[in-house]
Amino acid sequence: MTVEKTSDVLRIGNSFEPTFERELGARYEIPLLPSGPQRAEFLAQHGAQIRVVVTSGRYGVDAETIAALPNLEVIVNNGAGVDLIDLAAAGKRGIGVSNTPDVLSDTVADTALGLILMTLRRFGAADRYVRAGRWASEGQFPYARDVSGLQVGILGLGRIGSAIATRLLGFDCAIAYHNRHKIDGSPYRYAESPLELAESVDVLVVATTGDERTRHLVDRSVLEALGPEGYLINIARGSVVDQDALVELVAAGALGGAGLDVFADEPNVPAVLYDLDNVVLFPHIGSATARTRRAMALLTIRNLETYLNTGELVTPVLRRRG
């Protein structure tokens, strides 16, 4: 495979996900936007020639960088989440943005189901109980909570949320959801607000996008509505949940438990959560399987290649204007 050198494509992010790094590097040699004092110098010297930015959900592209690239046409993102890309700034300029939808929906939904089972059935805590020798010394592990037959609310019934709902039907769970708008033809009960949803379910699964519109959508009142018998599962973005309120309530027993794959300031996790057996903590691994990460990488590269060849994005979040 021939590696193509590019002068009008810019990479933002010095450490991409390993599969994407390998697949991209096998095809393209893309200059990296430096950090520190060299950043401004690079942008002043090369910014005007950049047409395409390649980035990932970990790095994004802020408004200041967009402004420093006067001829930027598209931003190609490796990941479904585009919360670190300033979509408002991109939209004003008519800049296209792509992401990697669909290819990760099943894997993230599997992760959500795993978090639900581990949190309610306390499988992780039970494993630690055995490993610590406590089964022999203290006797039977305490009872946990059934998943089958529960009322489950899904905040964000998009591709991933729908895949989660489908899996939960196998557990005879009753599904309700909240979106900005009711989905015509949906078989699930609609709640008018996150608070109304939380008041009516045993488990609230956060599967919405993460941006300024959804910041702290799950606030203290929503968490309190779940109550000491309720559980929060978050496979979306840490910013969607008021993390301070979550930590306080779950530590005090005012929330039954939480299964978290995402946090407000990754990779930093509030230390108080480490010793709580009613909390399951994952290191943002929702889509982390070899098959899914390769599918994401190849879709990202297909967006890049297709744009360079035809001027079109395969999976646009924003379509380029002009």
Side-chain angles (χ1 to χ4, degrees):
M1 186 180 295
T2 303
V3 177
E4 180 180 340
K5 291 187 177 182
T6 62
S7 59
D8 57 353
V9 180
L10 179 64
R11 166 182 170 146
I12 294 182
N14 60 9
S15 179
F16 287 157
E17 193 276 329
T19 302
F20 182 45
E21 190 86 58
R22 182 174 62 254
E23 297 288 349
L24 185 67
R27 294 165 174 81
Y28 293 96
E29 185 177 314
I30 300 174
L32 170 68
L33 178 62
S35 57
Q38 294 178 314
R39 179 186 178 96
E41 181 182 344
F42 179 95
L43 289 171
Q45 186 174 352
H46 303 286
Q49 70 189 66
I50 301 301
R51 297 172 48 229
V52 180
V53 161
V54 178
T55 188
S56 75
R58 178 180 175 184
Y59 299 103
V61 187
D62 59 23
E64 181 182 356
T65 304
I66 291 173
L69 302 171
N71 296 308
L72 182 62
E73 298 171 5
V74 296
I75 298 168
V76 177
N77 183 63
N78 182 51
V82 292
D83 45 304
L84 293 184
I85 296 174
D86 195 315
L87 296 179
K92 287 179 183 177
R93 287 261 306 276
I95 295 167
V97 178
S98 69
N99 69 339
T100 59
D102 295 324
V103 294
L104 49 67
S105 298
D106 284 336
T107 303
V108 176
D110 291 347
T111 302
L113 188 60
L115 274 173
I116 292 170
L117 287 167
M118 286 191 67
T119 305
L120 274 72
R121 290 297 311 275
R122 301 182 66 195
F123 288 149
D127 176 79
R128 293 190 295 273
Y129 191 81
V130 173
R131 291 175 187 274
R134 295 176 63 190
W135 188 14
S137 63
E138 299 180 32
Q140 188 62 40
F141 185 75
Y143 292 155
R145 180 79 176 270
D146 279 319
V147 173
S148 296
L150 291 181
Q151 301 276 338
V152 180
I154 298 178
L155 188 59
L157 195 69
R159 296 178 179 92
I160 294 172
S162 296
I164 295 169
T166 299
R167 283 155 174 76
L168 288 169
L169 292 177
F171 287 82
D172 294 323
C173 292
I175 308 297
Y177 75 98
H178 172 74
N179 280 7
R180 292 189 185 95
H181 303 288
K182 186 176 182 179
I183 300 173
D184 292 337
S186 173
Y188 309 124
R189 176 174 60 85
Y190 179 68
E192 294 288 343
S193 68
L195 180 59
E196 180 183 312
L197 184 63
E199 288 173 337
S200 65
V201 298
D202 304 297
V203 180
L204 179 63
V205 182
V206 184
T208 188
T209 57
D211 53 39
E212 283 304 313
R213 294 176 299 176
T214 60
R215 179 175 173 77
H216 287 190
L217 190 63
V218 178
D219 59 14
R220 177 179 290 273
S221 66
V222 173
L223 295 168
E224 288 177 340
L226 279 171
E229 299 297 321
Y231 296 81
L232 179 82
I233 306 296
N234 190 3
I235 47 84
R237 286 292 185 270
S239 61
V240 181
V241 176
D242 182 340
Q243 184 168 282
D244 290 341
L246 169 65
V247 171
E248 178 186 328
L249 292 171
V250 77
L255 182 66
L260 308 172
D261 185 43
V262 290
F263 302 88
D265 181 28
E266 297 177 0
N268 300 304
V269 176
V272 68
L273 298 178
Y274 293 159
D275 296 326
L276 298 179
D277 274 346
N278 60 338
V279 178
V280 175
L281 308 172
F282 285 176
H284 202 150
I285 56 169
S287 63
T289 68
R291 179 187 64 83
T292 296
R293 289 292 172 86
R294 186 165 191 271
M296 291 169 61
L298 294 180
L299 180 53
T300 305
I301 291 167
R302 189 151 64 94
N303 271 290
L304 174 60
E305 290 176 342
T306 302
Y307 186 78
L308 293 176
N309 291 329
T310 71
E312 298 291 335
L313 292 168
V314 179
T315 52
V317 176
L318 292 179
R319 294 188 180 276
R320 181 174 177 255
R321 301 192 311 273

